[in-house]
Amino acid sequence: MNQPFVDTSPRVSDEIRKTTCYMCACRCGINVHMKDGKVAYIEGNRDHPVNRGVLCAKGSAGIMQVNAPSRLQAPLRRVGPRGSGEFEEISWDEALDIATGWMEPLRRKDPSKLAFFTGRDQSQSFTGFWAQNFGTVNYAAHGGFCSVNMATAGIYTMGGAFWEFGQPDWDYTKLFMLFGVAEDHDSNPIKMGLGKIKARGARVIGVNPIRTGYNAIADDWIGITPGTDGLFVLSLIHCLISAGRVDLDYLARYSNAPVLLEDGTGMFLRDEAGKPLVRDRKTGKITAFDTPGILPDLAARHEGHRTVFQHMADMYLDPAYAPEAVSETCGIPAERIRAVAEELARVAFDEAFEIEKKWTDFRGETHQRMIGRPVSFHAMRGISAHSNGFQTCRAIHVLQILLGTVEVPGGFRFKPPYPKSSEAHPRPHFNSRPDSPLDGPHLGFVHGPEQLALTPEGTPARIDKAFTWENPMSAHGLMHMVIANAHAGDPYRIDTLFLYMANMAWNSSMNTAETIRMLTDKDENGEYVIPRIIYSDAYSSEMVAYADLILPDTTYLERHDCISLLDRPICEADAVADAIRWPVIEPDREVRGFQTVLIQLANRMKLPGFTNEDGSPKYRDYADYIVNHERKPGIGPLAGFRGNGDQAGRGPINPEQLDRYIENGGFFVSHVPDGAQYYKPWNMAYQNWAVEMGILDAPQPYLFQLYVEPMRRFQRAAEGHGELQPPEHLRDRLRRTMSPLPDWYPPFGDENVDPAEYPVHALTQRPMAMYHSWGSQNAWLRQIHGMNPLYVPQKLWETHGFQEGDWARLTSAHGTIVVPVALHCGLNENTVWTWNAIGKRKGAWALSPDAPEARQGFLLNHLISELQPPKGDGLRWSNSDPITGQAAWFDLRVRIEKVDPRDEAEPALAPLVSPVGTGPQNIAWKVGK
Amino acid sequence: MHPAPSIIIFTVLSGAGFGYLALLAGAHGTGHIAFFQFALGFALAVTGLVASSFHLGNPQRALRAFSQWRSSWLSREAWASLAALLCMAVVGAYAVFFGQPLPFLALLGSALALLTVLATSMIYAQLKTVPRWNSALTPLYFLTTALAGGAILVGWTRLAVVALLVLGGIQIWAWAAGDRRFSARGHSMATATGLGGSGSIRLFEKPHSGQNYLLKEFAYDVGRRHAAKLRVISIILMCLLPAVLLVFLPASLPVIILAFALHLTGAIVSRWLFFAEAEHVVQLYYGRN
Amino acid sequence: MTVLPQTTEKKLGLVIDLDTCVGCHACVISCKGWNTENYGAPLSDSDAYGAEPVGTFLNRVHAFEVQPDNGAAAQAVHFPKSCLHCEDAPCVTVCPTGASYKRREDGIVLVNEDACIGCGLCAWACPYGARELDTQAGVMKKCTLCVDRIYNENLPEEDRVPACVRSCPAGARHFGDFADPDSNVSRLSAERGGFDLMPEMGTRPVNKYLPPRPKDQLTCSDGAAPAGVVAENPGGFLAWLDKALEKL
Ligand SMILES: Nc1nc2c(c(=O)[nH]1)N[C@H]1C(S)=C(S)[C@@H](COP(=O)(O)OP(=O)(O)OC[C@H]3O[C@@H](n4cnc5c(=O)[nH]c(N)nc54)[C@H](O)[C@@H]3O)O[C@H]1N2
Ligand SMILES: Nc1nc2c(c(=O)[nH]1)N[C@H]1C(S)=C(S)[C@@H](COP(=O)(O)OP(=O)(O)OC[C@H]3O[C@@H](n4cnc5c(=O)[nH]c(N)nc54)[C@H](O)[C@@H]3O)O[C@H]1N2
Ligand code: SF4
Ligand code: SF4
Ligand code: SF4
Ligand code: SF4
Ligand code: SF4
Ligand SMILES: [Mo]
């Protein structure tokens, strides 16, 4: 019988346009297949360094995102009261007039009355530059509520962090240990890496209270009690040091383990040039750490001063860190802790291997080969989103360094422009003056009390109180405190809040309902306490309803973007790389790329940096800026195709640069030269190449900081030394938390409430197929996660007599929610959790008000306060890490009770009026018929 | 399985219709009576067939369903029903217009009518995926239901009573055996997933939080107590009450109509249970253990 | 057509590695994307932005938990499932119209949508839930093994694999010819103990699943600290350190 004819070679598309995905910050390369000028199909770009052709669910669903009915259509001016959702559409000219009308006077008088905070955008070097030229001190991006603990701990310790700064050596690693990760920004690379490891039959250890996703395929799962990883890791360190299973040679050469600490002060011994001192084991001489030819001595003692390593031994050999001592707190049997320590040592040392590759270190010594230690680590918000996250993350890095597994084959490797020591980063600038730009970038790394952003009176210079005694090393600012502080007038009031791409009236705020109240609160004169709010979003999010002026953005396929080396590029350990987005389709609405809008605003206000001598604008739009802006001569937003197109890193402006990127698939990549791939912080081949590429101005080799001296400076201040002294109420806390060697203290969430009253930890996880709040507007993705139950471990499930379909009331010291429950057995027995940001406000995202997201879906955020519970001292203590200001989302403790089933989660906030209506009933999306 | 009203109505009505037509071959009505009888038989059978097209996604292509008689019971059902209807149309026409029985054709028609019911039942009985159906009891149940209904309508009360009682027996047997068959076949989450070599398996998360075609179609859930009640109701209505009526009341049109109405109602309840209680193995992927 | 071919020249299918699948749903959506734009009617979604969105998908990822009998921690397994292209495909033989068929050349089970009346019977006959009726088009939808990709001369050679395989970030899906014992899929399946779903159904699926590797096997070598040389060193830590440094 005849089979029907099947066309096995249909035409796939008319044309492929290659750009960069933006359903998350991973920034994969995509091939956008076009038919009749419309997007027909999106797949991964095989040549792209990030994703090599693969694509996640969100990326593949991009077509439903660019066509989402929730897209904003035109600029909006609020006409009803805030939150009413009553807007009128206005023209762009009007919108820009209004915005300049509000901002210009502030700039002339007191630029810091404008607070400009951006979400997870990928143009921080640009938005920061804008804010700097506006002159406000109040600028930051979302890092403070996201993962600043990670970034900061990594940079202070080893000049780079997990997250977007580095990656395991996937090709060689044999043991991969993953802490507190559900998805991360490195979404596709981590999955690709796990795939590689699995294909080799190598091992994965997952440390996470919850066993799903990556932790589901981990060979061993450590279902740790939330907030106790620091203690667990220090116990591993205890085991390794007491077993002598540490890489002494590596520690001596590349870390500050041999640096001598001054007896009494705990500060580094330094020479006249300020260089830390070590004793050379060959000659016995005390000398600068980088003296050519020396071999620093870990066992040195000099006039009562001892090395960092000896202090570490004192600290970590203490029985308080023995597995038996920490087992109960961490919820891990002691034997299992030992087993992990043993396995780490076994793989690092017994499975060590060598790569025949010569390299020369910064002391001039040439090594004939590279020693591989195939153990690698990765960690993310499960570690960082606790109030002890900075120290915990430091502990993990110290563990890696003790094993000698950073920047070696098989270990953890940095991605250019990292490594870069904390010294090589800028200091925060906060000297805001009328009508002039700020004297430098807002954010940076402080190395002592004198660099804090304090006014001469000692009060916080910034609205978010970043870089103050409350959180001295808050390198990313504290976006989660901006609305609350502005509302409280603590430290001062502002005039205009300018937000970009952050759903602050919903999932990115702690204490959501109260945040909404603050946004709508009026003072005794009937004026809004936060007088003006400007917001840029691309979609009809919850936050839109709370702004006075909406600047509607394009979608990611409709604009230029620049994923720059000045910012958070797409580099790999073996390559420097950056990328662009470009308008593969033209917007069909009155929307504009936000960066272009910022340039248009800058041009109207004639902001310095954006204006030529003759008063004419320097840049027409963002594409123009990307090509023609120079940070330093020869260094611009894009590193590729400079000059006449063949220069990389440094080089003159190339007017055709964007075209060259587009021809090349939307990205640029240049490989780290042979022999420079490992030992980057100390490898002169790498250092010299980095200078060539414009990543460094001069070679800057440095030592890994097991002992972080800047922390000791703050700690000493708290002990009463020095001129700049912390306020009394913070003295004890600084003394305790600023330990220069990683230490563990219970997360504040555990100390602030009675654990008997709130016995259960409550967490969220990112679903892999959803991006925060905006996956729900995607018709395909919302079918996967249309609601989110609270997952309850078996023991609690049985204790409370839960059945499928039941509901529970969850109460924290701060609030109450009522939510549907479901059973999850692979779960720490004192932990409940749910998927993050699935719950939606009725009326948002062009969903119908009876959408499951708005009925059964819920946010945990209602239970999390931006402030710790009042301590009776009248002070507002933020719910953040005391070192970096990182929002402590995961410190949350709750109690759970069974309640009668219902069909709507609580609190159910009143519906919003949708500025875009509701999406269509049915869709069957086919572009080519 | 989802008890789709169109399929329940189709199978019950067309079953009764074909059962009736099958017996009509032996009832020697002529003229008006024959007209009325055949019209009723056709009405029942054809209404059922039309109802069945309601659940087709593309009914306009229904003719294609005749093509696969070599392998498909649905195709065979289409052929058998068409042939039965054609045959009986000729038989009926002869009876109405010429007052003539056509015994040979009538016998053929009656065989085809029963074949139609058998084919219908085999559509379900062949499905290994629904262990409750996958048994010889399914065709038996369909055939006796058809014959019992037919016998009531034809007015052969004695046959009807016997058929009703046999049907009751088969029905109870089918329930009892059906209740055990799923596990007896050895289907479990362990065989479905290949997991659980040394442990127990449970569904943690459905693939999608929302609905899908499979769940709507295959994951119908009747509560046990509810089902037990309905079983009693259906046996009483489908078998016992009509039988009692026919035994104790003199055969008359109103009695027959009443008996048939009761039987049909019971048969609909029974058929509803036939679907609603049938568990498809795909449920194993959706949490059924 | 509804009669199954005695044999097929190739047996194309997938190996799905349950030890590697992280449950990311990338394969689900890339399948939806490709098959909405390509083979037959688009995979539609009803009530797309409403209270009960229901769409057609050819591939869905379940998540199971396995509680080991020995009391060890419960394990999670992400479990993707699409058509297994059975050798003895019951979905084909029940089809009254011949719309469902198994290709002789490569064993792919397809629905010819022009002939499908949307009766749903094939979906009833499939034990695996691999067929979904598209309510808007009224035709049966199922995994085509991307028949319009794997031979597609408009695609570069390396892209002639199913959309789900190409997109799977973890590399948990493998495509190949099971008729060839030396193919990637045959070897993987043999090495890692590839198994059939519901073998008792007698459907002889072509697709194979690789089992998760044993979990939570790490143990202490002797229950003691890993050779506590430092702690036990008579001269204490410093003496040990000196000795250890000498040896470097
Ligand atoms: N409970 C709990 N809460 C959390 C977390 C948690 O783990 N648990 N995580 C926290 C973390 S780490 C983060 S980063 C935040 C994230 O929180 P948000 O940054 O608020 O997350 P999104 O939902 O992505 O919101 C960003 C906004 O950007 C808009 N948007 C999307 N694309 C574009 C575009 O192209 N242009 C413009 N202008 N706007 C666009 C979206 O419509 C949305 O309104 O959530 C935080 N909140
Ligand atoms: N698909 C998708 N990808 C995303 C995002 C998204 O929304 N969707 N968001 C992006 C953003 S903004 C961010 S910040 C990253 C965050 O990426 P992740 O760091 O993966 O963030 P979370 O999903 O919050 O996962 C936190 C994990 O930590 C675990 N955890 C919580 N407390 C502890 C603890 O005390 N110890 C340990 N060991 N584990 C703990 C939780 O169980 C959870 O698995 O993801 C990015 N990537
Ligand atoms: S991980 Fe997914 S959403 Fe993020 S950039 Fe890559 S493809 Fe896009
Ligand atoms: S894409 Fe791969 S890893 Fe993700 S769910 Fe599918 S098979 Fe699993
Ligand atoms: S998996 Fe189902 S649809 Fe696919 S061939 Fe087998 S029986 Fe048919
Ligand atoms: S739904 Fe279509 S393919 Fe399936 S059995 Fe019916 S006609 Fe055949
Ligand atoms: S082979 Fe093609 S049709 Fe089948 S599941 Fe994969 S992507 Fe979908
Ligand atoms: Mo984040």
Side-chain angles (χ1 to χ4, degrees), chain C residues 14 27 31 35 58-59 82 142-146 162-164 173:
Chain C
L14 303 175
C27 51
C31 172
N35 288 291
L58 310 185
N59 176 28
S82 50
K142 67 174 293 299
C143 158
T144 64
L145 209 63
C146 289
C164 57
R173 305 173 76 88

PDB file of all heavy atoms in Angstrom, chain C residues 14 27 31 35 58-59 82 142-146 162-164 173, ligand 7:
ATOM      1  N   LEU C  14      14.555   7.647  19.856  1.00  0.00           N
ATOM      2  CA  LEU C  14      15.295   8.439  20.838  1.00  0.00           C
ATOM      3  C   LEU C  14      15.764   7.568  21.997  1.00  0.00           C
ATOM      4  O   LEU C  14      15.091   6.617  22.390  1.00  0.00           O
ATOM      5  CB  LEU C  14      14.402   9.537  21.417  1.00  0.00           C
ATOM      6  CG  LEU C  14      13.759  10.526  20.460  1.00  0.00           C
ATOM      7  CD1 LEU C  14      12.817  11.453  21.235  1.00  0.00           C
ATOM      8  CD2 LEU C  14      14.817  11.341  19.735  1.00  0.00           C
ATOM      9  N   CYS C  27      12.906  20.742  25.900  1.00  0.00           N
ATOM     10  CA  CYS C  27      12.474  19.879  24.802  1.00  0.00           C
ATOM     11  C   CYS C  27      10.977  20.053  24.549  1.00  0.00           C
ATOM     12  O   CYS C  27      10.516  19.960  23.418  1.00  0.00           O
ATOM     13  CB  CYS C  27      12.805  18.421  25.127  1.00  0.00           C
ATOM     14  SG  CYS C  27      12.218  17.873  26.743  1.00  0.00           S
ATOM     15  N   CYS C  31       9.873  21.642  20.938  1.00  0.00           N
ATOM     16  CA  CYS C  31       8.980  20.774  20.161  1.00  0.00           C
ATOM     17  C   CYS C  31       7.720  21.544  19.782  1.00  0.00           C
ATOM     18  O   CYS C  31       7.278  21.523  18.640  1.00  0.00           O
ATOM     19  CB  CYS C  31       8.631  19.544  21.004  1.00  0.00           C
ATOM     20  SG  CYS C  31       7.358  18.504  20.279  1.00  0.00           S
ATOM     21  N   ASN C  35       6.894  22.336  15.869  1.00  0.00           N
ATOM     22  CA  ASN C  35       5.724  21.667  15.315  1.00  0.00           C
ATOM     23  C   ASN C  35       4.506  22.570  15.181  1.00  0.00           C
ATOM     24  O   ASN C  35       3.547  22.217  14.515  1.00  0.00           O
ATOM     25  CB  ASN C  35       5.399  20.418  16.135  1.00  0.00           C
ATOM     26  CG  ASN C  35       6.424  19.343  15.878  1.00  0.00           C
ATOM     27  OD1 ASN C  35       6.492  18.786  14.792  1.00  0.00           O
ATOM     28  ND2 ASN C  35       7.284  19.094  16.866  1.00  0.00           N
ATOM     29  N   LEU C  58       3.425  17.743  22.188  1.00  0.00           N
ATOM     30  CA  LEU C  58       3.797  16.404  21.722  1.00  0.00           C
ATOM     31  C   LEU C  58       4.799  15.749  22.641  1.00  0.00           C
ATOM     32  O   LEU C  58       5.217  14.620  22.426  1.00  0.00           O
ATOM     33  CB  LEU C  58       4.397  16.496  20.320  1.00  0.00           C
ATOM     34  CG  LEU C  58       3.560  17.293  19.320  1.00  0.00           C
ATOM     35  CD1 LEU C  58       4.186  17.223  17.945  1.00  0.00           C
ATOM     36  CD2 LEU C  58       2.128  16.791  19.310  1.00  0.00           C
ATOM     37  N   ASN C  59       5.206  16.476  23.630  1.00  0.00           N
ATOM     38  CA  ASN C  59       6.277  16.004  24.491  1.00  0.00           C
ATOM     39  C   ASN C  59       6.061  16.693  25.821  1.00  0.00           C
ATOM     40  O   ASN C  59       5.879  17.906  25.857  1.00  0.00           O
ATOM     41  CB  ASN C  59       7.621  16.428  23.866  1.00  0.00           C
ATOM     42  CG  ASN C  59       8.808  16.063  24.722  1.00  0.00           C
ATOM     43  OD1 ASN C  59       8.767  15.099  25.479  1.00  0.00           O
ATOM     44  ND2 ASN C  59       9.877  16.835  24.602  1.00  0.00           N
ATOM     45  N   SER C  82       7.453  11.315  25.015  1.00  0.00           N
ATOM     46  CA  SER C  82       6.816  11.617  23.733  1.00  0.00           C
ATOM     47  C   SER C  82       6.559  10.265  23.074  1.00  0.00           C
ATOM     48  O   SER C  82       6.778   9.233  23.695  1.00  0.00           O
ATOM     49  CB  SER C  82       7.735  12.486  22.878  1.00  0.00           C
ATOM     50  OG  SER C  82       9.026  11.918  22.812  1.00  0.00           O
ATOM     51  N   LYS C 142       0.787  14.096  17.232  1.00  0.00           N
ATOM     52  CA  LYS C 142       1.746  13.269  17.953  1.00  0.00           C
ATOM     53  C   LYS C 142       3.150  13.625  17.479  1.00  0.00           C
ATOM     54  O   LYS C 142       3.317  14.286  16.462  1.00  0.00           O
ATOM     55  CB  LYS C 142       1.481  11.791  17.705  1.00  0.00           C
ATOM     56  CG  LYS C 142       1.751  11.364  16.264  1.00  0.00           C
ATOM     57  CD  LYS C 142       1.603   9.879  16.108  1.00  0.00           C
ATOM     58  CE  LYS C 142       2.675   9.124  16.853  1.00  0.00           C
ATOM     59  NZ  LYS C 142       4.038   9.434  16.387  1.00  0.00           N
ATOM     60  N   CYS C 143       4.114  13.156  18.215  1.00  0.00           N
ATOM     61  CA  CYS C 143       5.512  13.361  17.846  1.00  0.00           C
ATOM     62  C   CYS C 143       5.759  12.789  16.462  1.00  0.00           C
ATOM     63  O   CYS C 143       5.384  11.651  16.165  1.00  0.00           O
ATOM     64  CB  CYS C 143       6.400  12.674  18.878  1.00  0.00           C
ATOM     65  SG  CYS C 143       8.049  12.282  18.291  1.00  0.00           S
ATOM     66  N   THR C 144       6.369  13.580  15.612  1.00  0.00           N
ATOM     67  CA  THR C 144       6.666  13.135  14.251  1.00  0.00           C
ATOM     68  C   THR C 144       8.111  12.676  14.129  1.00  0.00           C
ATOM     69  O   THR C 144       8.592  12.415  13.039  1.00  0.00           O
ATOM     70  CB  THR C 144       6.471  14.292  13.267  1.00  0.00           C
ATOM     71  OG1 THR C 144       7.441  15.303  13.591  1.00  0.00           O
ATOM     72  CG2 THR C 144       5.077  14.885  13.369  1.00  0.00           C
ATOM     73  N   LEU C 145       8.780  12.610  15.245  1.00  0.00           N
ATOM     74  CA  LEU C 145      10.228  12.418  15.261  1.00  0.00           C
ATOM     75  C   LEU C 145      10.890  13.479  14.367  1.00  0.00           C
ATOM     76  O   LEU C 145      11.973  13.289  13.841  1.00  0.00           O
ATOM     77  CB  LEU C 145      10.628  11.001  14.845  1.00  0.00           C
ATOM     78  CG  LEU C 145      11.943  10.502  15.470  1.00  0.00           C
ATOM     79  CD1 LEU C 145      11.836  10.414  16.989  1.00  0.00           C
ATOM     80  CD2 LEU C 145      12.350   9.155  14.919  1.00  0.00           C
ATOM     81  N   CYS C 146      10.176  14.574  14.255  1.00  0.00           N
ATOM     82  CA  CYS C 146      10.658  15.674  13.413  1.00  0.00           C
ATOM     83  C   CYS C 146      11.056  15.182  12.038  1.00  0.00           C
ATOM     84  O   CYS C 146      12.157  15.491  11.540  1.00  0.00           O
ATOM     85  CB  CYS C 146      11.798  16.424  14.103  1.00  0.00           C
ATOM     86  SG  CYS C 146      11.223  17.387  15.497  1.00  0.00           S
ATOM     87  N   PRO C 162      15.967  15.848  15.596  1.00  0.00           N
ATOM     88  CA  PRO C 162      14.738  16.425  16.131  1.00  0.00           C
ATOM     89  C   PRO C 162      14.993  17.709  16.916  1.00  0.00           C
ATOM     90  O   PRO C 162      16.064  17.885  17.514  1.00  0.00           O
ATOM     91  CB  PRO C 162      14.206  15.325  17.052  1.00  0.00           C
ATOM     92  CG  PRO C 162      14.736  14.065  16.460  1.00  0.00           C
ATOM     93  CD  PRO C 162      16.101  14.430  15.944  1.00  0.00           C
ATOM     94  N   ALA C 163      13.996  18.579  16.914  1.00  0.00           N
ATOM     95  CA  ALA C 163      14.123  19.862  17.610  1.00  0.00           C
ATOM     96  C   ALA C 163      14.437  19.658  19.082  1.00  0.00           C
ATOM     97  O   ALA C 163      15.252  20.374  19.669  1.00  0.00           O
ATOM     98  CB  ALA C 163      12.830  20.660  17.449  1.00  0.00           C
ATOM     99  N   CYS C 164      13.809  18.660  19.692  1.00  0.00           N
ATOM    100  CA  CYS C 164      14.003  18.467  21.123  1.00  0.00           C
ATOM    101  C   CYS C 164      15.422  18.008  21.433  1.00  0.00           C
ATOM    102  O   CYS C 164      15.985  18.345  22.460  1.00  0.00           O
ATOM    103  CB  CYS C 164      12.988  17.466  21.666  1.00  0.00           C
ATOM    104  SG  CYS C 164      13.050  15.857  20.836  1.00  0.00           S
ATOM    105  N   ARG C 173      18.950  13.749  25.535  1.00  0.00           N
ATOM    106  CA  ARG C 173      18.170  13.101  24.473  1.00  0.00           C
ATOM    107  C   ARG C 173      19.094  12.778  23.306  1.00  0.00           C
ATOM    108  O   ARG C 173      19.869  13.616  22.866  1.00  0.00           O
ATOM    109  CB  ARG C 173      17.055  14.027  23.986  1.00  0.00           C
ATOM    110  CG  ARG C 173      16.149  14.522  25.096  1.00  0.00           C
ATOM    111  CD  ARG C 173      15.179  15.565  24.586  1.00  0.00           C
ATOM    112  NE  ARG C 173      14.094  14.975  23.827  1.00  0.00           N
ATOM    113  CZ  ARG C 173      12.962  14.540  24.357  1.00  0.00           C
ATOM    114  NH1 ARG C 173      12.772  14.654  25.652  1.00  0.00           N
ATOM    115  NH2 ARG C 173      12.029  14.020  23.608  1.00  0.00           N
TER     116      ARG C 173
HETATM  117  S1  SF4 D   7      11.127  14.358  17.929  1.00  0.00           S
HETATM  118 FE1  SF4 D   7      10.244  16.291  17.239  1.00  0.00          FE
HETATM  119  S2  SF4 D   7       8.093  15.952  17.401  1.00  0.00           S
HETATM  120 FE2  SF4 D   7       9.036  14.355  18.598  1.00  0.00          FE
HETATM  121  S3  SF4 D   7       9.135  15.138  20.691  1.00  0.00           S
HETATM  122 FE3  SF4 D   7      11.037  15.682  19.711  1.00  0.00          FE
HETATM  123  S4  SF4 D   7      10.669  17.707  18.887  1.00  0.00           S
HETATM  124 FE4  SF4 D   7       8.689  16.839  19.338  1.00  0.00          FE
END
